[in-house]
Amino acid sequence: MSTRQSEILHLYRSSLRAAQRFETYNFRKYFYRRTHDRFHAIREEADAQKVGKAVAEARAELEVMQRQGILNKMFAHNRTVIESDPHYASGARRFSE
């Protein structure tokens, strides 16, 4: 694995960790999906200049996510049904009940 690939992979993992630090379910899932989609688009890109620009944007977005994650933890919020029900929180779906 080249240095550039390992740098991008490290940035991807850091972004996913920053997304998981949000207390609010909707923010957490939004940033997780956005990060996943962004880095899969980078993986498919062949032009090195576009990859460099996308990585720079992802780095800037990571900084924003980290700041916003801290702010999100500072203020209380009401938990949604998805967050408060352990069956939904784990990702499992209930078909009988």
Side-chain angles (χ1 to χ4, degrees), residues 10-91:
H10 177 71
L11 184 60
Y12 176 62
R13 288 178 179 158
S14 296
S15 296
L16 289 178
R17 278 193 298 272
Q20 292 300 326
R21 289 190 183 116
F22 280 87
E23 291 289 324
T24 308
Y25 175 83
N26 291 329
F27 288 153
R28 186 172 54 246
K29 291 299 181 184
Y30 169 76
F31 284 115
Y32 186 86
R33 276 192 318 271
R34 183 175 169 94
T35 298
H36 184 273
D37 293 344
R38 175 186 297 268
F39 280 91
H40 278 72
I42 290 173
R43 183 175 65 180
E44 300 299 322
E45 187 60 54
D47 185 15
Q49 187 176 9
K50 288 183 180 179
V51 169
K53 183 178 178 183
V55 167
E57 290 173 0
R59 208 175 275 122
E61 187 171 304
L62 172 61
E63 293 174 3
V64 170
M65 276 197 302
Q66 288 171 336
R67 287 193 307 267
Q68 290 300 95
I70 292 169
L71 284 174
N72 186 256
K73 285 187 178 203
M74 291 173 69
F75 299 100
H77 68 282
N78 295 332
R79 297 181 88 57
T80 63
V81 173
I82 293 173
E83 292 173 300
S84 58
D85 188 345
H87 292 287
Y88 288 113
S90 68

